[in-house]
C-alpha cells in the first residue's frame, strides 16, 4: 500500500451495533425457514445479518471521507444516521427478498467507488459460505476458496451452482405439466426439482427397505408409523456374582411437557438378572440415569462400574444395544410404547459391505467414541442406518440419471445430485447412533449440537421414511427452501486452495477481503467434516473428482493448532499456526489497496494466567495477532458482533464466546513510528477507556469484554512499527495483551469511584471473600475506609452478621418487597442483584424491565457493577454467579426497550408478577 491517505469506510468509524446484534442473535437462536446456511452442516457459521452489515459498512464511505459533501461534524453525523437506517433495514431477514432495500444498499456501495466499479469479494477461508453469499446479495462478484472440500462444495452450492438456472422451470414432467410458464421465478424451479427427485428417492428406498422399518401395533389394535426407536448401550456388569447386561442410560425421560410427562420405567428381574423396560406416565418421573462422567451403576446388583471397565468392554467389542422404547405417531401426537421382540428384531440386519471403514482421528479432545471401540466412521451407525445411507447414496446417482432422462442437461443433473447428496448428509446427521432424544420437545437431536463427536449412551434411531425433522423427505424440503433464498447474482468463482499460497485469478480493480479464519484449536474442521465427506464422496465422487480425490479430507496443511498432529507438543502446534497465519495474511496484504480495508471475524476465547494471576492472555489471540502484525497489517477498527446466539452454554473459563470480534485492518504505513513500553502504556490509558465505555454502552456480554478489549488495545499497539522493551527487543503480542488486560481491570475498577459507599465496600469484600463469611473486625475496618459502617450495611440489606462473622447476602436472600423509590438507604449493589433476581424469576424480562424503569438514572451504574463483578467472578472461578451477571448485561438492550414501552404504573404491575 502506498502512503496516500485513504478514504475511511463506515466500519472504521461507527456501526449501529444494537440493531445488528439483535438481528444476528435472533437468527442464530432460531434460523428462519429457508435460511440459506441450513443447506448443510458447517461449524461456527456467522449469522447472515452480521456478514451483510459488516460487508456493507466495509464498502461504504464514512461521511468524514467526503468533506466536500459533509463539511461539518453535524452534517457527517446526520449522514451516518441515514446509513445506519439502511443497515437497520438491511439486516432484517425479510429484507433478503426485498428488492427496494437491496437496491438501496447496492446503490450506496456503488456510490463509494469511482464509476460505480464495485470491488470483488475475496474470502480465502470460505467455510460454510456465509460471507460470499452476502457479498453476492450486495452485488459483488465473489472469489472464494477453502482447503476443505466439504466447505468448497457448500459454498459452491450457495453461490455458484444455482446461478445458471435462475428463472428456469423444473424439468420433472409431473410438476412441469401443472404450472403456468413464467411462474418459476428465481431458483424455484430448481428447488421444486429437488423436492420431486428427493421424494422419488425416498419412495424407492422405502420399497427396498420398508420391511426393516415396520409399523407398531398400538394398545387398541391399530397400527401406527414409528418415529424413532430409543436404544441404550449395554456392557456386562463387572461384579462376578452378577454379570448382568447393564443398560447405560443418561436419562429415562421421554417427554417433560406438563401434563404429558412420559418416561422409561426399568423393570429388574433379580433372578434372571435381566432388565426390561415399560413406559411410565405422569409427573412422578423416572429414576436417575445409570451412567455419568465417572462411571455407571448396575440396575441388577446396584454395583458400580468405572468408566475404565465400560471402555474396556467397548474396545473388546462387547458393547451391545437394547431397545428401551418406541415412539410412534398417533392421531393426537407422540405415543410411547415399550419394546417388542419383533421391533427389536427389525433392526437386526446384516452390515452392508460398501460402508466407510475409514479411521476416526486420534483427536482426544473432540472424538470420544474411539475410547469405547468405535474407531471407524461406519461404527458411528447401526447396521440398519448403514443400509439406509448406502441405499440413499446410491439413489443419488439414480435420481441424476432419471433427471437426464426427463430432459435435464448434464450440468443441471449434476446440480440436482449435489443438493440431493446434501439431503443424505442432513439425514446422516440425525440418522446415526450418536443422535439423542430431546425430551423437552419430543424430537431427535442431531449429532452435531457442538463441534465434536461425543460418546452417547442412550440414542435415538430415526425412521427415515416418516415426516419428522429427522426424516429424509424433511431433509429434502429444508434443502429446497434454502435454494429458494439464495441471491440472484452472477456466478461466483469458488475453488479449493490453501490460503497460505499466493492468490491466483484475482481480477483487476479493488478487492474487498472479508473472511472468517480458523480459531486456533477450537474447531477441527477437517476431522469433523469427514463425517459428511465419506457419504458425499460416495454420492458425488464421479462429478467432483478434484474435490473427492482422497479417502478423507486433507489434514496436513489445515491451518489449526492441533497438538495431536504434532506429537502432543502444544508449542510446535502454536508455532505452526502462527507461521501459517503470517503466510496467509502476507498473501492478503499483497493484494490490498487503499480502496477497501480488510475485515476478519474472530470468535475465540482461551484465557491463561501467566505469572501475575491478574494478567490474562489468550494463546489463540496471541498467535493470530502475531501472524497478522508480522505481515505488515495494522488494526484500524474493532467491533463485537453477537454471532453465537444466546442459547449457548456460556461457561466461565471455557472457550465459548457470545460474540465475534470483527477486526478492521489496513497495511501499516511505511512511516509508522516507534515507541517504548511506557509510551505504549500511556497511549493505552489515553485511548482504551473510551473504547471500553463504547463497548459497555453496546451491552457487550461481560464474558466477551476481555476479548473485545483486545481489538482497540491492539489498534494502539499495531499503529507503531515497533514497541521497544527496556532490553531493546521488540515487544511481542503476549506482553502487549497483558498490558491491555491490566488497563481493562483498571478501567473497571475506576467505576467503583462512582458507586455509593456501601456498594464500594461490597465490591471490595466480594473480591476478597465472595459470599463466604469473614471476620466482623475485618469488615468493620474496611467499612471505615469506605466511609460506611457494618450497621449501615445491615440496614441497607446487603449483609448479614452473627457470632462475630459477616457475609454478603446472596441473590436468593434479598427482600422480595424491595422498592428503590422507598428504600431509605438505596445501593447500586441492591439494584444490580434485584434486577438479576427479577430476570431469572417467573416474571423474566417484563419484571426486570419494570424495575429497570424505576431505577431511572441508576440503571447504568447497575450495569457497570455487573461488568465489575463478572470480572471478579472470572478470577475467583464463581461460575454460576458469573453467568448471572453475564445474563443481566446481555439482556440489557431488551430491558431498556421494555422499560420505555409504557407508563411506570403499568411496568410496576408487571414487576409484581415476578415477586
Amino acid at each position: 500500500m502506498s502512503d496516500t491517505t485513504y478514504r475511511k469506510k463506515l466500519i472504521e468509524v461507527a456501526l449501529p451495533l444494537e440493531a445488528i446484534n439483535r438481528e444476528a442473535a435472533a437468527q442464530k437462536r432460531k434460523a428462519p425457514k429457508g435460511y440459506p446456511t441450513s443447506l448443510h452442516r458447517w461449524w461456527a457459521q456467522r449469522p447472515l445479518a452480521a456478514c451483510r452489515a459488516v460487508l456493507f459498512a466495509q464498502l461504504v464511505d464514512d461521511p468524514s471521507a467526503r468533506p466536500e459533501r459533509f463539511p461539518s461534524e453535524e452534517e457527517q453525523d446526520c449522514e451516518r444516521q441515514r446509513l445506519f437506517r439502511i443497515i437497520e433495514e438491511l439486516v432484517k431477514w425479510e429484507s433478503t427478498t426485498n428488492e427496494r432495500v437491496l437496491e438501496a444498499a447496492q446503490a450506496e456501495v456503488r456510490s463509494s467507488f469511482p464509476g460505480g466499479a464495485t470491488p470483488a469479494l475475496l474470502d480465502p477461508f470460505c467455510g460454510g459460505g456465509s460471507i460470499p453469499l452476502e457479498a453476492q446479495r450486495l452485488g459483488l462478484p465473489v472469489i472464494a476458496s477453502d482447503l476443505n472440500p466439504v466447505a468448497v462444495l457448500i459454498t459452491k452450492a450457495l453461490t455458484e451452482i444455482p446461478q445458471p438456472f435462475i428463472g428456469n422451470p423444473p424439468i420433472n414432467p409431473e410438476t412441469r405439466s401443472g404450472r403456468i410458464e413464467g411462474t418459476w421465478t428465481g431458483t424455484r424451479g430448481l428447488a421444486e426439482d429437488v423436492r420431486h427427485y428427493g421424494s422419488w428417492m425416498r419412495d424407492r428406498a422405502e420399497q427396498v427397505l420398508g420391511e426393516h422399518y415396520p409399523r407398531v401395533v398400538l394398545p387398541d389394535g391399530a397400527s401406527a408409523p414409528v418415529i424413532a426407536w430409543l436404544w441404550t448401550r449395554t456392557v456386562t456388569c463387572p461384579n462376578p456374582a452378577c454379570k448382568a447386561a447393564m443398560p447405560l442410560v443418561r436419562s429415562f425421560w421421554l417427554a417433560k411437557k406438563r401434563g404429558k410427562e412420559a418416561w422409561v420405567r426399568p423393570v429388574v428381574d433379580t433372578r434372571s438378572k435381566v432388565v426390561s423396560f415399560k413406559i411410565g406416565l405422569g409427573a412422578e418421573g423416572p429414576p436417575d440415569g445409570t451412567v455419568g462422567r465417572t462411571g455407571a451403576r448396575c440396575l441388577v446388583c446396584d454395583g458400580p462400574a468405572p468408566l475404565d471397565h465400560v471402555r474396556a468392554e467397548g474396545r473388546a467389542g462387547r458393547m451391545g444395544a437394547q431397545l428401551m422404547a418406541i415412539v410412534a405417531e398417533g392421531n393426537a401426537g407422540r405415543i410411547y410404547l415399550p419394546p417388542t421382540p419383533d421391533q427389536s428384531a427389525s433392526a437386526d440386519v446384516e452390515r452392508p459391505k460398501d460402508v466407510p471403514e475409514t479411521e476416526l482421528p486420534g483427536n482426544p479432545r473432540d472424538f470420544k467414541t474411539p475410547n469405547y471401540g468405535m474407531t471407524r466412521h461406519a461404527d458411528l451407525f447401526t447396521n440398519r442406518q448403514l443400509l439406509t445411507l448406502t441405499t440413499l447414496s446410491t439413489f443419488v446417482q439414480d435420481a441424476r440419471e432419471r433427471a437426464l432422462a426427463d430432459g435435464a442437461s448434464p450440468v443441471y443433473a449434476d446440480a440436482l445430485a449435489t443438493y440431493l447428496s446434501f439431503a443424505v448428509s442432513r439425514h446422516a446427521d440425525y440418522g446415526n447412533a450418536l443422535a439423542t432424544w430431546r425430551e423437552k420437545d419430543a424430537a431427535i437431536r442431531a449429532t452435531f449440537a457442538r463441534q465434536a463427536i461425543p460418546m452417547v449412551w442412550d440414542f435415538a434411531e430415526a425412521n427415515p421414511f416418516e415426516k419428522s425433522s429427522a426424516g429424509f423427505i424433511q431433509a429434502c424440503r429444508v434443502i429446497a427452501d434454502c435454494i429458494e433464498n439464495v441471491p440472484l447474482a452472477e456466478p461466483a468463482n469458488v475453488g479449493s486452495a490453501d490460503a497460505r499460497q499466493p492468490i491466483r485469478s484475482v481480477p483487476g480493480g479493488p478487492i474487498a477481503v472479508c473472511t472468517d479464519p480458523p480459531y486456533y484449536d477450537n474447531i477441527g474442521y477437517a476431522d469433523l467434516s469427514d463425517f459428511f465427506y465419506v457419504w458425499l464422496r460416495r454420492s458425488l465422487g464421479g462429478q467432483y473428482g478434484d474435490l473427492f480425490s482422497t479417502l478423507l479430507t486433507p489434514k496436513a496443511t489445515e491451518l489449526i493448532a492441533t497438538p495431536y498432529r504434532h506429537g502432543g507438543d502444544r508449542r510446535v502446534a502454536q508455532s505452526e499456526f502462527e507461521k501459517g497465519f503470517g503466510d496467509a495474511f502476507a498473501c492478503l496484504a499483497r493484494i490490498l489497496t487503499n480502496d477497501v480495508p480488510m475485515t476478519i471475524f474472530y470468535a475465540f476465547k482461551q484465557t491463561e494466567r501467566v505469572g501475575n494471576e491478574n494478567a490474562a492472555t489468550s494463546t489463540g489471540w496471541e498467535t493470530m495477532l502475531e501472524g497478522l502484525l508480522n505481515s505488515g497489517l495494522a488494526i484500524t477498527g474493532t467491533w463485537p458482533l453477537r454471532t453465537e446466539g444466546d442459547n449457548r452454554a456460556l461457561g466461565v473459563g471455557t472457550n465459548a464466546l457470545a460474540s465475534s470480534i470483527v477486526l478492521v485492518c489496513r497495511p501499516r504505513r511505511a512511516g509508522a513510528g516507534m515507541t517504548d513500553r511506557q509510551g505504549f502504556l500511556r497511549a493505552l490509558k489515553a485511548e482504551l477507556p473510551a473504547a471500553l465505555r463504547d463497548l459497555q454502552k453496546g451491552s457487550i456480554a461481560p464474558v466477551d469484554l476481555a476479548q473485545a478489549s483486545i481489538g482497540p488495545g491492539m489498534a494502539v499497539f499495531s499503529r507503531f512499527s515497533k514497541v521497544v522493551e527496556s532490553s531493546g527487543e521488540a515487544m511481542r503480542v503476549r506482553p502487549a495483551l497483558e498490558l491491555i488486560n491490566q488497563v481493562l481491570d483498571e478501567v473497571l475498577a475506576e467505576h467503583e469511584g462512582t458507586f455509593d459507599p456501601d456498594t464500594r465496600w461490597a465490591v471490595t469484600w466480594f473480591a476478597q471473600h465472595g459470599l463466604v463469611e469473614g471476620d466482623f473486625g475485618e469488615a468493620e475496618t474496611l467499612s471505615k475506609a469506605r466511609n460506611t459502617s457494618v450497621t449501615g450495611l445491615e440496614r441497607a440489606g446487603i449483609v448479614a452478621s452473627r457470632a462475630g462473622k459477616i457475609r454478603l447476602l446472596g441473590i436468593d436472600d434479598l427482600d422480595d418487597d424491595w422498592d428503590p423509590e422507598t428504600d431509605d438507604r438505596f445501593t447500586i449493589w441492591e439494584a444490580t442483584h434485584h434486577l438479576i433476581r427479577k430476570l431469572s424469576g417467573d416474571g423474566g424480562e417484563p419484571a426486570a424491565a419494570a424495575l429497570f424503569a424505576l431505577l431511572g438514572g441508576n440503571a447504568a451504574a447497575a450495569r457497570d457493577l455487573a461488568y465489575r463483578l463478572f470480572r471478579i467472578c472470572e478470577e475467583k472461578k464463581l461460575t454460576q454467579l458469573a453467568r448471572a451477571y453475564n445474563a443481566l448485561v446481555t439482556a440489557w438492550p431488551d430491558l431498556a426497550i421494555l422499560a420505555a414501552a409504557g407508563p411506570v404504573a403499568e411496568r410496576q404491575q408487571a414487576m409484581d408478577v415476578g415477586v
Side-chain angles (χ1 to χ4, degrees):
M1 172 177 167
S2 69
D3 286 334
T4 349
T5 302
Y6 56 79
R7 297 197 335 188
K8 279 190 175 182
K9 296 297 181 179
L10 183 63
I11 201 167
E12 295 175 289
V13 179
L15 282 181
L17 272 182
E18 187 175 327
I20 298 169
N21 287 339
R22 183 171 55 247
E23 289 296 325
Q27 292 175 25
K28 196 73 176 182
R29 183 166 56 245
K30 185 177 181 181
K33 179 183 177 184
Y35 198 66
T37 55
S38 301
L39 186 74
H40 195 286
R41 174 77 68 177
W42 193 252
W43 299 272
Q45 281 183 296
R46 301 299 124 234
L48 300 183
C51 297
R52 202 176 312 132
V54 166
L55 284 162
F56 177 84
Q58 177 184 357
L59 296 164
V60 171
D61 289 340
D62 182 73
S64 64
R66 297 184 174 187
E68 73 283 0
R69 289 187 58 191
F70 310 105
S72 71
E73 289 187 9
E74 183 179 355
E75 289 172 300
Q76 291 170 14
D77 186 61
C78 182
E79 173 64 5
R80 276 191 205 101
Q81 294 304 316
R82 186 186 71 83
L83 293 174
F84 283 5
R85 288 193 292 273
I86 293 176
I87 293 176
E88 288 163 4
E89 284 295 313
L90 188 63
V91 294
K92 295 176 182 177
W93 167 245
E94 54 268 27
S95 294
T96 57
T97 55
N98 186 321
E99 291 184 9
R100 177 189 61 80
V101 173
L102 294 177
E103 175 50 38
Q106 291 172 8
E108 289 296 335
V109 172
R110 291 192 297 269
S111 71
S112 293
F113 294 91
T118 54
L121 180 281
L122 173 64
D123 182 359
F125 298 100
C126 63
S130 299
I131 292 170
L133 180 79
E134 292 310 313
Q136 278 190 319
R137 209 181 301 277
L138 290 175
L140 273 62
V142 164
I143 306 160
S145 61
D146 203 291
L147 187 65
N148 190 296
V150 178
V152 172
L153 192 58
I154 295 170
T155 305
K156 276 181 173 289
L158 281 172
T159 63
E160 183 180 296
I161 292 173
Q163 301 304 330
F165 311 115
I166 291 171
N168 288 7
I171 55 93
N172 77 84
E174 181 180 320
T175 309
R176 187 171 52 197
S177 62
R179 293 289 291 270
I180 303 170
E181 288 294 326
T183 60
W184 299 102
T185 57
T187 50
R188 290 177 181 171
L190 176 59
E192 189 58 33
D193 275 335
V194 169
R195 295 185 186 99
H196 174 84
Y197 291 101
S199 180
W200 175 84
M201 283 176 60
R202 179 249 176 234
D203 293 346
R204 186 177 175 197
E206 187 177 32
Q207 292 174 2
V208 175
L209 305 174
E211 64 179 301
H212 301 300
Y213 292 93
R215 294 168 68 90
V216 67
V217 178
L218 302 178
D220 62 3
S223 69
V226 175
I227 296 298
W229 293 264
L230 307 185
W231 299 84
T232 173
R233 303 189 201 280
T234 62
V235 295
T236 302
C237 175
N239 181 355
C242 180
K243 295 294 184 183
M246 291 173 47
L248 304 172
V249 183
R250 173 191 57 87
S251 171
F252 286 108
W253 275 107
L254 295 171
K256 286 187 174 180
K257 188 174 182 179
R258 184 173 296 180
K260 294 186 178 181
E261 296 91 347
W263 37 280
V264 174
R265 180 166 61 87
V267 179
V268 180
D269 186 330
T270 54
R271 295 189 63 183
S272 65
K273 298 178 181 176
V274 170
V275 180
S276 58
F277 300 103
K278 302 294 184 183
I279 302 298
L281 301 173
E284 171 193 351
D288 291 338
T290 65
V291 66
R293 293 189 175 185
T294 58
R297 175 177 57 87
C298 178
L299 285 173
V300 175
C301 70
D302 201 36
L307 279 185
D308 284 346
H309 170 75
V310 178
R311 293 185 183 111
E313 289 289 285
R315 288 194 294 266
R318 293 193 292 268
M319 184 176 283
Q322 182 179 353
L323 188 61
M324 282 199 305
I326 301 164
V327 186
E329 187 65 76
N331 293 329
R334 300 284 192 258
I335 300 173
Y336 302 97
L337 301 165
T340 61
D342 61 320
Q343 288 290 335
S344 295
S346 67
D348 187 15
V349 302
E350 187 177 347
R351 186 183 182 96
K353 294 180 180 178
D354 186 15
V355 296
E357 296 288 2
T358 41
E359 292 281 345
L360 292 169
N363 181 344
R365 188 190 68 176
D366 298 335
F367 287 76
K368 302 302 183 186
T369 61
N371 295 334
Y372 301 89
M374 301 164 67
T375 61
R376 298 174 181 272
H377 287 97
D379 297 337
L380 306 180
F381 304 85
T382 68
N383 286 357
R384 178 161 59 179
Q385 290 169 331
L386 287 170
L387 181 62
T388 299
L389 285 167
T390 53
T391 301
L392 288 171
S393 296
T394 300
F395 286 173
V396 167
Q397 287 304 312
D398 291 353
R400 179 182 181 278
E401 293 300 319
R402 188 176 180 87
L404 288 170
D406 289 337
S409 69
V411 176
Y412 189 78
D414 286 346
L416 282 175
T418 301
Y419 294 118
L420 293 172
S421 72
F422 280 14
V424 176
S425 274
R426 185 177 181 87
H427 177 64
D429 198 2
Y430 287 92
N432 64 79
L434 301 174
T436 51
W437 185 251
R438 292 199 316 250
E439 58 267 20
K440 182 180 178 181
D441 52 0
I444 293 179
R445 178 188 294 108
T447 299
F448 289 105
R450 59 188 183 90
Q451 295 96 278
I453 293 184
M455 181 62 186
V456 303
W457 309 112
D458 47 287
F459 63 93
E461 185 182 9
N463 188 335
F465 305 121
E466 291 307 313
K467 296 179 181 179
S468 68
S469 58
F472 182 72
I473 201 64
Q474 179 60 19
C476 294
R477 289 171 180 165
V478 169
I479 305 301
D481 290 343
C482 292
I483 294 169
E484 289 184 344
N485 281 289
V486 299
L488 309 182
E490 293 298 317
N493 182 352
V494 184
S496 179
D498 185 339
R500 290 172 289 190
Q501 299 300 318
I503 298 165
R504 299 184 178 88
S505 304
V506 176
I511 297 290
V513 178
C514 181
T515 194
D516 184 15
Y519 309 141
Y520 194 62
D521 65 345
N522 269 14
I523 305 171
Y525 299 93
D527 289 341
L528 293 170
S529 62
D530 281 339
F531 179 93
F532 299 111
Y533 180 90
V534 294
W535 298 109
L536 291 169
R537 185 174 187 267
R538 194 177 194 281
S539 301
L540 298 172
Q543 279 111 271
Y544 300 98
D546 55 336
L547 289 181
F548 298 106
S549 61
T550 55
L551 286 175
L552 294 173
T553 59
K555 308 290 193 305
T557 52
E558 185 183 26
L559 191 50
I560 60 171
T562 311
Y564 88 88
R565 292 187 189 156
H566 301 279
D569 192 323
R570 284 191 166 275
R571 288 176 300 178
V572 174
Q574 178 180 343
S575 175
E576 288 295 312
F577 180 81
E578 182 180 320
K579 182 180 182 302
F581 251 47
D583 292 343
F585 284 133
C587 289
L588 295 173
R590 282 195 288 270
I591 65 169
L592 290 181
T593 66
N594 289 332
D595 303 280
V596 193
M598 175 169 68
T599 53
I600 303 166
F601 286 83
Y602 207 66
F604 182 85
K605 180 184 180 183
Q606 178 175 303
T607 301
E608 301 172 353
R609 300 286 170 181
V610 181
N612 180 351
E613 66 176 11
N614 291 319
T617 61
S618 166
T619 303
W621 274 99
E622 177 192 355
T623 50
M624 186 277 286
L625 290 169
E626 287 284 6
L628 187 150
L629 299 180
N630 289 341
S631 65
L633 293 167
I635 296 168
T636 61
T638 59
W639 302 97
L641 297 182
R642 301 282 296 177
T643 61
E644 303 304 307
D646 55 11
N647 56 349
R648 300 181 70 207
L650 293 177
V652 179
T654 72
N655 282 353
L657 274 181
S659 303
S660 287
I661 309 305
V662 176
L663 302 176
V664 187
C665 304
R666 289 187 185 265
R668 188 185 302 113
R669 294 185 179 281
M674 296 191 301
T675 191
D676 59 12
R677 184 184 185 91
Q678 289 305 311
F680 171 50
L681 189 55
R682 282 194 299 272
L684 273 180
K685 290 183 175 183
E687 300 180 39
L688 193 55
L692 292 174
R693 282 193 291 272
D694 288 341
L695 290 172
Q696 289 177 300
K697 286 177 184 176
S699 296
I700 183 174
V703 73
D704 296 343
L705 185 59
Q707 260 60 41
S709 67
I710 290 174
M714 292 307 298
V716 175
F717 182 74
S718 66
R719 181 188 311 149
F720 302 105
S721 61
K722 183 190 293 187
V723 176
V724 183
E725 295 275 27
S726 56
S727 64
E729 296 180 346
M731 180 182 287
R732 288 180 63 86
V733 166
R734 178 174 286 266
L737 291 176
E738 291 173 358
L739 289 176
I740 292 167
N741 274 282
Q742 175 185 316
V743 175
L744 168 63
D745 284 334
E746 291 173 2
V747 171
L748 294 178
E750 284 173 5
H751 284 310
E752 293 179 33
T754 65
F755 299 150
D756 55 89
D758 292 348
T759 297
R760 283 189 281 117
W761 178 93
V763 171
T764 306
W765 186 265
F766 183 71
Q768 295 172 356
H769 300 280
L771 299 180
V772 179
E773 284 185 334
D775 289 335
F776 185 94
E778 182 185 353
E780 184 69 29
T781 301
L782 178 61
S783 70
K784 291 176 181 177
R786 293 292 183 268
N787 196 26
T788 182
S789 67
V790 172
T791 304
L793 293 165
E794 289 184 277
R795 195 169 79 246
I798 64 175
V799 301
S801 65
R802 65 177 180 83
K805 296 290 184 181
I806 191 168
R807 71 174 177 88
L808 280 166
L809 295 179
I811 294 170
D812 294 335
D813 299 324
L814 297 175
D815 182 1
D816 285 341
D817 298 323
W818 183 74
D819 185 340
E821 295 185 323
T822 60
D823 189 346
D824 62 357
R825 195 173 176 115
F826 172 87
T827 67
I828 297 299
W829 183 273
E830 287 177 285
T832 302
H833 291 87
H834 277 288
L835 280 169
I836 291 171
R837 181 171 181 149
K838 295 292 185 186
L839 185 64
S840 60
D842 292 338
E845 286 190 354
L851 176 55
F852 185 109
L854 295 177
L855 291 174
N858 289 312
R863 180 182 59 187
D864 290 342
L865 179 59
Y867 276 110
R868 176 71 177 126
L869 296 179
F870 177 89
R871 190 74 169 168
I872 294 171
C873 287
E874 204 171 30
E875 292 170 1
K876 298 179 73 68
K877 302 189 185 309
L878 300 174
T879 304
Q880 289 303 115
L881 270 175
R883 285 176 177 161
Y885 297 126
N886 191 74
L888 175 61
V889 177
T890 302
W892 204 263
D894 294 330
L895 298 183
I897 292 170
L898 288 172
V904 170
E906 293 180 12
R907 297 197 294 271
Q908 177 64 56
Q909 184 177 5
M911 184 179 75
D912 292 339
V913 173
V915 174

